[in-house]
């Protein structure tokens, strides 16, 4: 008999009532007495389970009564509408085939496990309600991102991960090698490490961003974006840092800072709307068990208008605030977490903070006419702080060279980036969206390790 | 005046005829006389250009007449329908604003450049017709892949790139480190390299596949897939090898080899259909200039039924063939390129070759009842050979352990993979699709370096 997915049973129940059907899946819960029992079966296609009712007419009633958690089974039976019950329907089993009886030491039992513990069984935790919700939302959000950009005419560009241009300063980058690290490194005659037999014939690194590379595609396709993994070697053990995470980096030709903010706002609202629309069960679960008020927070974001203020004005607001700061706000400084929080609470919604002091921002950002600030913008959202960072790029070759010089960035390895200002330069802008920070905001999860399938952090690279 | 994208002009021409419009873009070609001239403008939104007609009524006629290739401009003028002309419309310019005059040494002039030369200007080559076609197809194909899996209920999983489990044999993998490679490596007391101060506290590698990791998510979500970059350190300088490429790896619970082939066939046809549907201009270009007959080949693929034969029978056919082989076909051996070619020509279409000798396939593939072959399948397509490789996975713990032992694979680092056979094991299958090989097939490009934005190959890691 053809197997029906549980998702289909929920979506088109009417088609199946009083018919004989089969499902295949895993035991999520089991209660049984001498004569009958109930199995909650999850088949992976849907967040919710379906209840299977069985009794001692089954040949293998004894074995079925003792099914262990996460055992895999195929159930055949009649699909019955249940009026006034917790579940809208159930399956009255005529046959329960045991595919694989889980070992009784299955590490996730039906009790509350801590997230810390569940990280030690990262290969099994997606089978729990929490991680089933989180990782399905991750998938749906990822697709919504592609959908947003593709439907708006962007071209997806896969920028390289490996680079030999040490343009970001190798201290921040992982080194990549095929040399044997278990032995002494080969040396040249003058005593330096000899990379000539390394795969690329020279030192290679992992890029910490695809931004510079993706910019080269913007004059060809007008609107482009990356979406891929980013590896950074920071030795930061915090709730919001991982050494491997995913980034989205759009770049738009003929686009200034104001237009960029329009795009950022539109894009974020689209992603959140699609998750609300496509993961209602998962969002309800997160709202109930992960972050109270999550659904309202997300719904509000999709309908609010984002405030836009200058960094200078944000500092004004902070300075006038009747409270003590751990870090005193300053016109020349970055915003601390406490500042971000205050600003989003002050405006009771998402806030774009724009036109930042040039000294604390990157060399490629567009210098404003004041000569002191750059056309950069951070989007701060309630409860999560900064989740998008963007800027208009300096399109003037001479100004860009000066900015690079001032920040000690070498021109030579970036000749190709400078070429973009030599051949068809234009006002263009882009932003970066850290996918995991977005997911923490959307799911309410507080630790980045719990929105990544197999997180990599300092001293932690299990599985 | 609001700028209109060229794509919009092509899609909804009627809306704009005889109206004043503005476009922004880059000069693809220019012809001018003393009194008037023509500029072909590409604005990146569309493969085709729009023709701008200008004359000496322009204030800056002299400068406009001398615009260099790839200069950026904003054109305002009247949008005119052109009956019986090569272009369906043109813009009669009332104003041409020069945003950035390209340096006259722009490295891509309007003549035939070799693909080898264009690789040396990889940051500019997407502006050419060929690479504009190739990289837009790449983007559209990538999205079609996501669309296929998401619409069929799959969950997208971002498997890790960094690993410390040396389960594939480190010779095949890049090593990743934060140790200073320009100095002597630190040593432990017993003279071995001391990785304790490396970021993860031990040797770290880059995985060559996400397959084992993604399998852990299959029992949670039933159907899952990866789509991300893969780094392999092979020292192979061929037209089909790159050290960084993208892979798609779906994994499906409760799915046997026959069902897997159904999915592979359906998936491939979907991707190709969507590219044909969404990139008609790009496919026409590739058909005309890259591979004659490309469009017919692709269209035929979407309507043909893929043949399914055993490896043993494929060898029979090869042995009976009236021709001389460079490599003699053998029942215990892999298929050489010449064999793949013959088989697809023999059947005049795509062929699944299944049930391979176990000795030449991976340890995790399902051992068939004959004890000699495994339930593996390669899809061979005319003109490209193997583009998908899949298998049913060995779901029996004891058999899997024996297969690992026979192949010298250590159990300990893969305890989590074995756990999947302890807790809810089931018949499951998956396949790998090399994204660039697929793109070579779809575009007709013959070198993998020409379907990757910034290719990385041995001794080549520019940009």
């Amino acid at each position: 008999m053809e197997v029906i997915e549980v998702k289909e049973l929920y979506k088109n129940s009417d088609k199946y009532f009083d018919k004989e059907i089969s499902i295949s899946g895993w035991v999520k819960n089991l209660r049984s007495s001498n004569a009958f029992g109930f199995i909650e079966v999850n088949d992976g296609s849907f967040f919710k389970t379906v209840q299977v009712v069985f009794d001692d007419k089954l040949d293998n009633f004894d074995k079925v009564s003792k099914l262990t958690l996460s055992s895999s089974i195929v159930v055949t039976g009649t699909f019955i509408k249940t009026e006034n019950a917790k579940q809208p329907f159930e399956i009255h089993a005529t046959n329960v085939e045991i595919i694989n009886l889980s070992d009784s030491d299955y590490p996730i039992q039906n009790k509350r496990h801590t997230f810390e513990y569940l990280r030690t069984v990262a290969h099994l935790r997606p089978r729990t309600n929490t991680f089933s919700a989180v990782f399905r939302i991750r998938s749906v959000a990822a697709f919504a991102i592609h959908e947003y950009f593709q439907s708006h005419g962007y071209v997806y560009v896969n920028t390289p991960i490996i680079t030999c241009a040490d343009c970001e300063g190798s201290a921040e980058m992982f080194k990549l090698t095929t040399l044997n690290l278990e032995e002494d490194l080969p040396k040249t005659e003058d005593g330096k490490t000899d990379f000539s037999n390394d795969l690329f014939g020279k030192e290679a690194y992992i890029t910490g961003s695809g931004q510079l590379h993706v910019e080269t595609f913007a004059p060809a396709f007008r609107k482009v974006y990356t979406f891929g993994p980013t590896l950074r070697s920071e030795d930061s053990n915090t709730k919001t840092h991982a050494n491997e995470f995913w980034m989205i980096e759009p770049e738009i030709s003929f686009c200034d800072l104001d237009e960029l903010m329009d795009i950022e706002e539109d894009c974020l609202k689209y992603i959140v709307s699609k998750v609300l629309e496509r993961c209602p069960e998962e969002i309800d679960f997160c709202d109930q068990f992960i972050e109270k008020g999550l659904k309202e927070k997300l719904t509000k974001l999709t309908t609010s208008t984002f405030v836009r203020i200058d960094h200078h004005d944000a500092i004004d607001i902070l300075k006038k605030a009747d409270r003590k700061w751990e870090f005193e706000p300053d016109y020349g400084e970055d915003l601390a977490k406490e500042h971000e929080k205050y600003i989003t609470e002050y405006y009771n919604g998402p806030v774009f903070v724009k036109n930042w002091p040039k000294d604390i921002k990157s060399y490629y950002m567009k210098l404003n006419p004041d000569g002191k600030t750059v056309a950069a913008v951070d989007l701060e959202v309630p409860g999560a702080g900064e989740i998008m960072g963007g800027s208009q790029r300096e399109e003037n070759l001479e100004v860009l060279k000066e900015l690079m010089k001032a920040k000690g960035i070498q021109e030579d390895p970036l000749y190709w980036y400078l070429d973009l200002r030599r051949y068809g330069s234009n006002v263009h802008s882009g932003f970066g969206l850290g996918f995991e920070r977005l997911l923490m905001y959307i799911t309410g999860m507080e630790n980045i390790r719990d929105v990544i399938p197999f997180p990599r952090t300092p001293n932690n690279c299990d599985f």
Side-chain angles (χ1 to χ4, degrees), chain A:
Chain A
M1 175 167 305
E2 202 202 344
V3 165
I4 312 281
E5 290 188 0
V6 170
K7 184 179 184 177
E8 167 68 9
L9 293 180
Y10 271 91
K11 299 289 164 194
N12 297 305
S13 314
D14 287 350
K15 262 177 74 178
Y16 302 99
F17 286 137
D18 303 320
K19 301 223 169 97
E20 192 175 40
I21 60 162
S22 284
I23 61 164
S24 56
W26 294 268
V27 175
K28 290 279 284 185
N29 202 6
L30 184 142
R31 288 170 294 140
S32 67
S33 70
N34 287 339
F36 61 92
F38 305 91
I39 315 173
E40 277 181 50
V41 179
N42 187 294
D43 82 339
S45 68
F46 197 58
F47 185 70
K48 291 186 178 174
T49 55
V50 58
Q51 176 157 281
V52 171
V53 186
F54 65 96
D55 61 27
D56 55 12
K57 288 192 210 84
L58 292 183
D59 292 343
N60 57 350
F61 175 76
D62 285 351
K63 285 185 177 164
V64 172
S65 308
K66 295 192 192 95
L67 274 169
T68 44
L69 289 187
S70 223
S71 291
S72 47
I73 56 177
V74 176
V75 176
T76 302
T78 314
F79 189 63
I80 303 288
K81 188 167 187 168
T82 52
E83 306 285 359
N84 306 319
K86 249 171 69 187
Q87 301 84 7
F89 44 69
E90 59 192 24
I91 298 172
H92 291 191
T94 50
N95 190 56
V96 176
E97 187 189 352
I98 300 171
I99 305 295
N100 177 249
L101 183 70
S102 270
D103 283 3
S104 57
D105 63 350
Y106 180 61
I108 304 177
Q109 293 299 312
N110 278 348
K111 57 165 193 163
R112 207 170 246 293
H113 292 288
T114 65
F115 290 158
E116 288 75 15
Y117 170 73
L118 290 171
R119 279 174 219 145
T120 69
V121 288
H123 61 308
L124 302 172
R125 68 177 177 169
R127 303 182 193 191
T128 65
N129 285 332
T130 298
F131 291 95
S132 165
V134 165
F135 291 125
R136 195 186 304 272
I137 289 172
R138 185 177 170 117
S139 169
V140 167
F143 184 62
I145 289 166
H146 281 295
E147 216 175 36
Y148 177 81
F149 289 113
Q150 297 267 343
S151 67
H152 286 80
Y154 288 65
V155 165
Y156 181 36
V157 181
N158 297 136
T159 50
I161 287 187
I162 305 172
T163 179
C164 286
D166 179 11
C167 42
E168 295 157 68
S170 60
E172 302 294 313
M173 294 198 281
F174 281 108
K175 287 142 217 157
L176 191 75
T177 186
T178 57
L179 296 177
N180 186 347
L181 298 185
E182 287 170 4
E183 295 177 1
D184 288 336
L185 295 170
K187 300 275 181 190
T188 58
E189 278 183 13
D190 56 356
K192 291 186 178 162
T193 305
D194 181 3
F195 291 100
S196 62
N197 286 321
D198 208 339
L199 190 74
F200 299 111
K202 48 188 170 180
E203 271 202 275
Y205 309 91
I206 301 280
T207 57
S209 159
Q211 185 203 312
L212 301 190
H213 287 100
V214 82
E215 256 191 69
T216 66
F217 274 58
F221 295 110
R222 195 172 193 91
K223 297 180 288 192
V224 292
Y225 72 108
T226 70
F227 188 0
T230 304
L231 275 58
R232 290 189 189 162
S233 67
E234 287 171 287
D235 192 1
S236 290
N237 247 319
T238 79
K239 284 184 173 185
T240 54
H241 283 90
N243 295 112
E244 184 174 338
F245 57 97
W246 283 58
M247 284 263 282
I248 298 100
E249 297 178 295
E251 191 74 29
I252 308 107
S253 305
F254 297 103
C255 170
D256 65 18
L257 197 70
D258 283 327
E259 291 163 313
L260 184 72
M261 288 186 278
D262 293 343
I263 295 167
E264 290 189 32
E265 183 169 339
D266 193 41
C267 174
L268 184 58
K269 286 177 175 174
Y270 183 88
I271 301 164
V272 171
S273 302
K274 288 297 157 187
V275 170
L276 285 169
E277 178 189 320
R278 294 170 185 171
C279 300
E281 294 80 13
E282 287 81 1
I283 290 293
D284 282 345
F285 177 87
C286 292
D287 187 67
Q288 199 177 346
F289 296 105
I290 310 295
E291 180 185 327
K292 302 277 176 216
L294 177 77
K295 196 170 170 178
E296 197 194 327
K297 174 187 90 176
L298 296 176
T299 307
K300 206 174 147 214
L301 178 115
T302 62
T303 54
S304 61
T305 302
F306 297 6
V307 172
R308 301 177 183 196
I309 58 165
D310 278 355
H311 175 268
H312 188 279
D313 298 330
I315 301 293
D316 274 345
I317 289 167
L318 295 169
K319 281 188 177 291
K320 281 182 199 147
D322 181 24
R323 56 164 288 179
K324 237 6 278 94
W325 300 108
E326 196 186 335
F327 299 97
E328 206 51 44
D330 187 293
Y331 295 105
E333 296 290 333
D334 205 351
L335 298 183
K337 283 269 165 233
E338 54 179 337
H339 306 149
E340 296 177 349
K341 192 163 182 288
Y342 186 87
I343 292 288
T344 55
E345 282 167 4
Y346 182 90
Y347 285 109
N348 192 22
V351 181
F352 283 113
V353 180
K354 59 193 171 66
N355 296 326
W356 289 66
K358 71 171 177 180
D359 292 340
I360 61 168
K361 289 287 183 183
S362 298
Y363 68 88
Y364 48 73
M365 296 181 175
K366 173 74 185 169
L367 190 62
N368 283 324
D370 64 14
K372 291 181 206 161
T373 60
V374 287
V377 61
D378 283 0
L379 176 64
E380 316 283 353
V381 294
E386 189 214 324
I387 63 169
M388 285 170 157
S391 74
Q392 196 175 313
R393 318 307 192 187
E394 182 53 67
E395 84 277 11
N396 182 294
L397 182 62
E398 296 313 317
V399 179
L400 179 59
K401 281 181 171 181
E402 273 168 40
L403 291 168
M404 289 173 75
K405 200 172 169 187
K407 302 249 180 196
I409 308 287
Q410 279 189 290
E411 281 182 26
D412 281 0
L414 288 175
Y415 78 92
W416 49 274
Y417 187 67
L418 294 170
D419 270 0
L420 304 180
R421 279 74 185 164
R422 289 190 183 99
Y423 310 118
S425 191
N426 62 92
V427 169
H428 63 291
S429 302
F431 67 93
L433 167 60
F435 188 44
E436 282 79 7
R437 298 248 176 119
L438 173 68
L439 290 172
M440 291 167 72
Y441 177 72
I442 294 182
T443 60
M445 297 298 281
E446 291 184 345
N447 195 310
I448 199 168
R449 291 163 180 80
D450 296 327
V451 297
I452 300 178
F454 295 93
R456 272 71 176 98
T457 52
N459 286 309
N460 168 38
C461 184
D462 296 333
F463 303 99

